[in-house]
Amino acid sequence: QRQKSTRHKEFISKRRNVMPYKKIVAFGDSFTRGDELADCDIVREPNCRYSLSTWPAILAGLLEADYECFATGGRGNQWISWMVTSNILTYKDCLFVINWTYFGRFDFLNQDDWWDTATPNNNDKSFYQKIDSDVWNLLRNLQIIYTTVCLLEQNNVNFIMTCQDSIFNQTFNQLRPKAKVGGNWTRTLNLLQAHVIQKIQTFEGLPFREWAAKHGYAIGTHGHPLEKAHAEAAKYINTHVIEGI
């Protein structure tokens, strides 16, 4: 037992020397902000910035690092990428945790030059009836993620990425059957996926919410995993990603 304790202390010491992060900076949507967690009651406190009970926040505690979060509920991946890019130079010596959201969300600047997001649940249905498709969603989101990865790597920023939408690693034949595009699409998607998939961390092959549901962890009435799921997810990332490195 004494030898095991000594090896553990040596491991922690080495890990701190290899990964001397003073801060973890998280990006994402409501799952990253921590909606429905006890310390992030945005229903009664709309100005609440973020929870300290999410798995990225808990991971920061495990690594004895500070924590900051740039997540907003309901946003899509274009906005998340924009936030990451806006902060690369400011937080260059930090570990970025980027949790990509559902691919069906579409971010844009409205006429007042404010970010807005179209989603299947709260916007004009005609957009999703006439324009939206799996193949287009997959292409544009893979391009967004690929560009973000390139910028992070070019600026020597270390990162952990997850994705809430399981479509990111689906094959062309698994997409909605309405798509009737040709082989160029297949080759393009395959090239992007070959680079992007290896950058995205899953939880036993699943997105965070699906993994939480599989293990029976409590999920809130609005679909967000609760405290137990985040605690276990932080342990999983710390064991399978941080300690693996």
Side-chain angles (χ1 to χ4, degrees), residues 116-179:
D116 204 347
T117 304
T119 71
N121 297 325
N122 63 5
N123 290 90
D124 186 0
K125 298 296 182 182
S126 63
F127 173 84
Y128 290 93
Q129 292 172 352
K130 298 177 181 179
I131 300 176
D132 179 65
S133 70
D134 278 354
V135 65
W136 181 55
N137 287 339
L138 182 57
L139 174 66
R140 65 183 177 85
N141 282 278
L142 286 174
Q143 289 173 327
I144 290 168
I145 297 173
Y146 176 78
T147 302
T148 308
V149 168
C150 289
L151 287 169
L152 289 165
E153 292 179 339
Q154 287 171 4
N155 286 276
N156 299 314
V157 177
N158 289 323
F159 60 88
I160 296 172
M161 288 183 176
T162 71
C163 186
Q164 189 61 34
D165 199 324
S166 60
I167 193 177
F168 79 91
N169 61 3
Q170 288 185 349
T171 64
F172 188 78
N173 293 331
Q174 291 175 297
L175 304 178
R176 275 182 281 176
K178 291 182 180 179

